[in-house]
Amino acid sequence: MNMNLTKEQEERALRIHRDSLVVDTHNDTIQDIMSGVIPHAKEYSLKRRLCERSTEGQIDLPRINEGGVNCLLFAMVVSRGMYKGRRLRRLLQMLDVFFTEMKENHEAIALARTYEDVMKNKEEGRVSAVISIEGGEALEGELGVLRLLYKLGVRSLTLTHFARNELGDGSRDNSGSNLTDFGVEVIQEMEKLGMLVDVSHINETGFWDVLDIVKKPVIASHSNCKALSDHFRNLTDAQIEAISANDGVINLSFCGAFIKPGVNNRDDLAKVSIDDWLDHVDHVANLVGPNHLGLGSDFDGGCGFPGMDDISKMPTITKGLVARGYSDEDITKILGGNDLRVFNKTLR
Ligand SMILES: [Zn+2]
């Protein structure tokens, strides 16, 4: 990658990155560190640990620190068919792994439930870990489960994953159906509790229902622009404008197929560059300005591209934003300031 930055620009980028509170709103790291998929096993083993720099996966503490990332949303995903009937149990296993990692690495990383927690962790030199759930299937159709998960520290929910669930349709099942009554109740309860509503993955009709209901800003934790890559997981310009009007944030993922058309497999990833990703930043900024942009890597969830293959490479984003002419202030907002504004308005 050659961005042709001058030495001054390069130094400026590294300074902005260091001085910013960098937020990444989506990863599947807990699933990745749990070895394989063993829904029937009484115990589960871990294939790697958060404290060790691994040659596998894309996120661990040494690489988080090298990448200068301060706050990450750790997604718990239980939507696979094999978990049907035992989704809640799988979720509890994942939370057990999450909290074990937090305990064993308490000097380096800590749970954050609120904006204030993120600020306190930063002051104390710790990375913040926010718990999110990817796919409302995890609730098993019960509002009480949501309330208990909140008590356990969960603060964000991606309403659907790929398929239809009790809340509504995923974007792969885009039948044009609306949010269900249960989906409406979940959103209302989430806002009452102080949780963050995530509209990534939901079908378009459901998306508009969500935007009608919510009283607080939402995020798309890992989605890109449909205008640049016509993928079912991406957002139309009208959806981007609606998230902006809601004062929410579109967190752009590093998923090759979302970034560039014609990326269908690992080999095609060679065609994707940081410049292609920066085009999505420019597209959103041209449409709604810089106040609704953020980062949602989807590392350990099958995403990343050459030059942006793990979380240690995050400073490349800042260099790219400098190369594209963004101001220091706007870059700080894109790196995390915009998400922090939403955390401050929603999380309790
Ligand atoms: Zn996802």
Side-chain angles (χ1 to χ4, degrees):
M1 179 197 54
N2 181 10
M3 292 194 213
N4 292 319
L5 292 185
T6 64
K7 193 164 177 289
E8 286 72 24
Q9 284 177 312
E10 180 106 14
E11 281 168 4
R12 184 182 143 225
L14 293 177
R15 178 179 46 75
I16 300 169
H17 197 86
R18 216 175 27 244
D19 292 347
S20 298
L21 204 157
V22 180
V23 179
D24 178 3
T25 56
H26 190 81
N27 70 56
D28 287 323
T29 301
I30 298 299
Q31 172 176 266
D32 190 72
I33 69 176
M34 292 174 78
S35 63
V37 179
I38 39 171
H40 303 285
K42 286 206 173 60
E43 285 299 329
Y44 37 88
S45 56
L46 303 182
K47 79 173 181 199
R48 61 187 182 95
R49 304 303 300 266
L50 218 48
C51 60
E52 292 162 2
R53 190 183 186 105
S54 179
T55 52
E56 291 186 71
Q58 295 168 302
I59 293 181
D60 48 44
L61 275 165
R63 285 184 283 179
I64 290 171
N65 290 327
E66 192 179 319
V69 178
N70 307 101
C71 175
L72 300 92
L73 269 66
F74 284 81
M76 311 290 148
V77 54
V78 295
S79 59
R80 292 190 193 186
M82 63 181 60
Y83 298 132
K84 208 163 170 43
R86 31 171 80 77
R87 286 190 169 132
L88 201 46
R89 178 179 162 189
R90 176 66 179 177
L91 176 62
L92 294 175
Q93 288 178 343
M94 296 186 88
L95 289 172
D96 182 39
V97 170
F98 173 87
F99 282 113
T100 301
E101 291 292 346
M102 291 305 113
K103 192 173 177 199
E104 288 184 10
N105 300 293
H106 62 93
E107 278 170 16
I109 188 166
L111 175 70
R113 298 179 188 86
T114 61
Y115 169 83
E116 289 77 15
D117 284 352
V118 176
M119 291 302 156
K120 184 166 172 277
N121 286 339
K122 170 88 163 93
E123 223 163 81
E124 294 175 351
R126 290 187 180 89
V127 171
S128 281
V130 178
I131 309 172
S132 70
I133 292 175
E134 186 171 28
E137 292 91 328
L139 306 180
E140 307 254 6
E142 292 192 30
L143 225 44
V145 172
L146 178 73
R147 287 190 286 265
L148 288 168
L149 291 173
Y150 172 86
K151 277 191 201 280
L152 284 175
V154 175
R155 284 298 180 274
S156 180
L157 174 69
T158 313
L159 300 168
T160 63
H161 201 209
F162 289 109
R164 180 170 180 80
N165 66 19
E166 295 85 349
L167 285 68
D169 278 0
S171 48
R172 188 177 276 167
D173 284 354
N174 197 359
S175 61
S177 61
N178 292 79
L179 213 55
T180 64
D181 291 346
F182 180 66
V184 174
E185 282 174 31
V186 166
I187 290 169
Q188 288 168 341
E189 191 70 15
M190 284 177 72
E191 288 203 324
K192 207 153 75 180
L193 289 166
M195 294 176 74
L196 183 56
V197 175
D198 177 10
V199 295
S200 278
H201 277 288
I202 198 163
N203 72 329
E204 201 178 334
T205 319
F207 171 93
W208 293 111
D209 289 342
V210 176
L211 271 282
D212 273 347
I213 295 163
V214 289
K215 296 187 171 64
K216 292 187 179 154
V218 301
I219 62 162
S221 66
H222 56 307
S223 295
N224 298 55
C225 307
K226 211 166 227 171
L228 300 183
S229 182
D230 187 11
H231 191 284
F232 67 89
R233 280 277 292 101
N234 282 347
L235 300 165
T236 65
D237 286 356
Q239 287 178 302
I240 292 166
E241 283 166 347
I243 292 173
S244 153
N246 156 275
D247 203 29
V249 179
I250 297 111
N251 292 278
L252 298 172
S253 87
F254 302 149
C255 302
F258 302 5
I259 296 168
K260 202 168 186 174
V263 177
N264 303 311
N265 55 47
R266 291 224 153 257
D267 292 340
D268 292 339
L269 275 181
K271 295 187 261 183
V272 182
S273 71
I274 183 73
D275 266 311
D276 297 317
W277 185 85
L278 289 164
D279 288 346
H280 287 257
V281 175
D282 285 350
H283 183 80
V284 176
N286 288 335
L287 209 57
V288 297
N291 297 334
H292 307 283
L293 274 160
L295 314 175
S297 71
D298 206 352
F299 281 140
D300 287 329
C303 296
F305 54 82
M308 188 50 66
D309 36 32
D310 69 24
I311 199 147
S312 71
K313 308 297 193 315
M314 284 294 215
T316 302
I317 295 293
T318 310
K319 290 178 196 170
L321 294 170
V322 165
R324 291 281 171 115
Y326 288 90
S327 70
D328 292 25
E329 194 193 343
D330 287 348
I331 294 173
T332 294
K333 285 182 193 169
I334 294 167
L335 291 178
N338 291 330
D339 282 313
L340 291 170
R341 180 188 75 234
V342 173
F343 292 176
N344 196 16
K345 283 188 177 176
T346 55
L347 299 182
R348 277 202 317 269

